[in-house]
Amino acid sequence: MRPSVSACALLCVLFAPLAAQALPPPCNSGTVYEDRNGNGRRDGGEPGLAGMRVSDGVDIVLTDAQGAYHLPAIDGRTSFVIKPAGYRVGRRGDGLPDFSFNVQREPGPKLKYGGIPAAFPSCRDYALIPDPPHARDALDVLVFADPQPKTAVDVDYYRRDIVEPLRAAQPKGGPVADLGLNLGDLVHDDLSLYPALKRATAQLQMPWLHAPGNHDLDFDASRDEDSLLSFRHAFGPETYAWEEPEASFVVLDDVVYRPGQRPDYIGGLREEQFVFLQRYLAGARKDRLLVIAVHIPFFDAAPGRETFRRADRERLFALLRDFPKLLLLSGHSHTQRHVYHDADDGWHGAAPLHEYNVGAACGAFWSGLKDAQGIPDATMADGTPNGYARLRVAGDGGYRLSWHPARLQARAASTPAMSVHAPRVLRRGAYPAFGVYANVYMGQADSRVEFRVDGGQWAPMRRVERPDPRLQAENARDDEAAALRGYDRSPEAEVSAHLWRAALPTDLAVGDHRVEVRVLDPWLGEQTAQTSYRLQDTKE
């Protein structure tokens, strides 16, 4: 959908100075109106909407009784309407939601990937299409993190591995989900891949919100303020809000670029983002879930190493303290885990604050052995298969999360919930020192994981902090190979946050024995997987 041009834009044309070099008059004004027929332009009888919020990522203004708004015209800012519940927005030509525009009258810095070109006029109207209440039992949100293609080949992996299976499972006549959320590192430094990535994602035909990641920066920018100009030209604002009947979403750029330093970025927020947050949260509803979506996690990657500025985290958490229904979503790590923030992290709410650090769509950067379809294995360093998450939010703000691995049929002893690893054969009567391992992708510290052999009694498994043995075995095969087995080998296995172990009995009969594992998932209920091992007699 093309953006409609406001009356302000026409005035800008009529009264522009005649001098060739003169800039157009400042203009960051227009009308928010009800687009009753959804055609993207204001027709007769379509009223302006009062009380709608329009922002430039710092200021937030309300439309007047006629739906008119005015913001200061400041080059380098992105204006957007905060989509309210009960309305939807149309689609741009590239399939993304049409709810923003970039204010740029003068040429910005010269950047390799173009940045934001100067444009005239710099004002517009916003069309909101009435969206009657749905008979859905929950808001269904696809959550991607780190698609991160390095090349067009990787974009094709993303399309075939993630997008096409979702399209194939799409209900006839219905959407894949109600909303999509991508948590950054949309590409891997090569921003010329943005159009191809957008084309692939647009096949899902649903509104998508994007957060930027550290690999989405203009690295030739001389300062942080200019480091996301090309991202904003391609995707829109980097700090904004979006509302659905069940949840409010705040998407934040939390990558602070520090050119010339090492490392050249750190997790954190800028002063103007805190201004926006204070103004938005002051009027945000507390009876629905509030989702804060970022790229870099709020927790530190390792003890004693500040990867997100603590002062910024504490300041953000203070703003969120009075919201009873909260969820933090982050990406970046190419592993996944659940973290519950408490006073040690600067959180002083009534209950621990849940952060779900979402696994990567590209897994371990599209690495590993290729399957029959030519798609790399891409298992992450913690043993989680690449894929995507789903967030389902009920009308009362309650939520459920799930992880959806790609290409399950190509992964041995794997289910949507876990993978199970055990030795193939053991000596009957040997000391029971060899274990079955369950990598429970959505496992948490208090998860209840149990196993049984040959249909016997269920027994508890013990959570262990060690690498996934299945990925370690793949590392060994890569080490022993005389030639490369793929373009990039699988990552070295790292300690997994969601691994459980139990010793296998060796006092059973000679032959094959079936091992079942179950986990009581708090959101999906009981999930099971199975494998087998064999006992044999042997003589010295």
Side-chain angles (χ1 to χ4, degrees):
M1 181 183 81
R2 291 185 178 182
S4 57
V5 179
S6 69
C8 172
L10 297 176
L11 289 173
C12 291
V13 174
L14 291 173
F15 294 102
L18 297 177
Q21 300 301 317
L23 290 173
C27 182
N28 190 1
S29 304
T31 301
V32 180
Y33 68 94
E34 187 171 84
D35 186 9
R36 291 177 172 175
N37 58 13
N39 67 356
R41 62 176 181 269
R42 191 174 184 183
D43 299 316
E46 293 185 330
L49 293 170
M52 296 294 106
R53 289 162 296 173
V54 183
S55 177
D56 59 3
V58 181
D59 294 313
I60 299 177
V61 297
L62 295 177
T63 56
D64 65 17
Q66 288 72 47
Y69 74 91
H70 179 77
L71 282 162
I74 300 175
D75 269 18
R77 290 191 180 178
T78 299
S79 173
F80 57 91
V81 63
I82 298 176
K83 189 202 77 68
Y87 290 91
R88 59 186 175 88
V89 297
R91 294 179 185 171
R92 305 185 328 195
D94 58 5
L96 293 181
D98 185 26
F99 72 112
S100 68
F101 79 100
N102 296 310
V103 179
Q104 192 72 45
R105 295 186 303 136
E106 295 186 88
K110 292 184 178 180
L111 300 170
K112 177 180 179 180
Y113 295 106
I116 298 174
F120 169 73
S122 58
C123 49
R124 62 161 290 178
D125 294 343
Y126 288 110
L128 294 179
I129 305 168
D131 193 22
H134 298 276
R136 63 192 182 198
D137 59 349
L139 174 71
D140 188 11
V141 185
L142 287 182
V143 185
F144 290 2
D146 303 84
Q148 209 158 341
K150 302 177 291 295
T151 64
V153 172
D154 289 353
V155 175
D156 187 58
Y157 294 151
Y158 167 73
R159 178 183 60 81
R160 293 192 292 132
D161 196 29
I162 303 292
V163 173
E164 288 188 352
L166 276 165
R167 287 188 66 200
Q170 180 177 359
K172 188 174 182 180
V176 175
D178 301 307
L179 183 66
L181 183 60
N182 201 323
L183 300 176
D185 280 0
L186 310 178
V187 297
H188 188 92
D189 298 343
D190 185 354
L191 310 190
S192 70
L193 295 173
Y194 278 160
L197 182 88
K198 288 194 289 184
R199 282 194 298 272
T201 308
Q203 294 179 37
L204 296 174
Q205 297 182 334
M206 50 188 284
W208 278 91
L209 309 180
H210 294 85
N214 53 290
H215 287 285
D216 296 314
L217 302 179
D218 287 296
F219 284 104
D220 51 344
S222 62
R223 58 180 192 152
D224 180 52
E225 291 85 345
D226 297 327
S227 64
L228 284 173
L229 295 180
S230 296
F231 169 91
R232 286 163 52 206
H233 179 54
F235 294 97
E238 35 71 30
T239 293
Y240 57 100
W242 176 285
E243 296 180 350
E244 297 288 341
E246 302 86 351
S248 301
F249 296 84
V250 176
V251 181
L252 298 172
D253 162 36
D254 71 338
V255 182
V256 180
Y257 182 43
R258 308 186 300 184
Q261 299 185 48
R262 288 292 178 266
D264 59 3
Y265 69 89
I266 191 171
L269 299 173
R270 302 182 304 277
E271 183 62 33
E272 63 186 27
Q273 292 176 292
F274 282 111
V275 173
F276 171 78
L277 281 165
Q278 287 172 327
R279 291 171 175 168
Y280 175 73
L281 295 175
R285 291 176 56 174
K286 295 181 180 179
D287 59 340
R288 60 167 63 132
L289 182 68
L290 175 61
V291 179
I292 307 296
V294 297
H295 179 66
I296 296 178
F298 295 104
F299 58 87
D300 289 330
R305 178 183 162 209
E306 187 182 55
T307 50
F308 192 98
R309 294 189 301 212
R310 182 177 181 91
D312 290 356
R313 181 173 65 228
E314 292 180 348
R315 188 174 175 187
L316 172 65
F317 285 1
L319 290 174
L320 299 175
R321 179 175 178 175
D322 293 332
F323 285 83
K325 301 174 182 181
L326 277 171
L327 174 64
L328 309 180
L329 295 176
S330 59
H332 185 60
S333 65
H334 294 258
T335 56
Q336 81 170 0
R337 70 181 73 175
H338 297 271
V339 173
Y340 289 86
H341 296 280
D342 56 21
D344 289 341
D345 302 321
W347 171 250
H348 300 285
L353 175 56
H354 181 199
E355 177 177 355
Y356 173 35
N357 185 220
V358 183
C362 75
F365 308 93
W366 300 113
S367 65
L369 196 65
K370 294 181 180 180
D371 65 9
Q373 287 71 48
I375 300 173
D377 177 76
T379 296
M380 291 173 254
D382 66 348
T384 304
N386 76 305
Y388 59 92
R390 280 195 117 110
L391 166 67
R392 291 182 61 82
V393 187
D396 63 359
Y399 62 88
R400 292 185 291 161
L401 289 163
S402 55
W403 179 248
H404 297 262
R407 287 167 295 117
L408 264 179
Q409 67 278 9
R411 303 181 191 273
S414 296
T415 73
M418 72 185 95
S419 62
V420 178
H421 177 87
R424 295 180 61 185
V425 61
L426 294 172
R427 179 178 63 82
R428 182 174 181 268
Y431 185 79
F434 304 96
V436 56
Y437 290 84
N439 192 326
V440 182
Y441 311 135
M442 294 293 284
Q444 304 187 50
D446 61 352
S447 293
R448 180 180 167 189
V449 185
E450 300 174 330
F451 85 112
R452 67 180 179 181
V453 178
D454 296 335
Q457 294 294 315
W458 290 103
M461 299 181 73
R462 179 173 57 90
R463 183 170 174 266
V464 293
E465 295 186 357
R466 58 157 292 175
D468 184 319
R470 187 183 69 84
L471 184 55
Q472 287 183 309
E474 187 68 12
N475 292 160
R477 286 188 285 270
D478 280 337
D479 287 346
E480 293 166 0
L484 289 173
R485 301 168 69 225
Y487 181 78
D488 279 324
R489 56 182 286 162
S490 293
E492 288 189 355
E494 298 177 357
V495 172
S496 175
H498 36 77
L499 191 69
W500 278 259
R501 180 191 184 277
L504 289 170
T506 58
D507 57 354
L508 304 175
V510 169
D512 291 332
H513 297 276
R514 182 165 59 98
V515 181
E516 296 171 272
V517 176
R518 71 178 180 183
V519 58
L520 303 178
D521 187 287
W523 296 300
L524 300 179
E526 183 175 307
Q527 303 291 305
T528 62
Q530 65 180 42
T531 187
S532 64
Y533 70 109
R534 188 172 72 256
L535 290 174
Q536 70 178 52
D537 283 330
T538 185
K539 295 181 181 180
E540 291 190 16

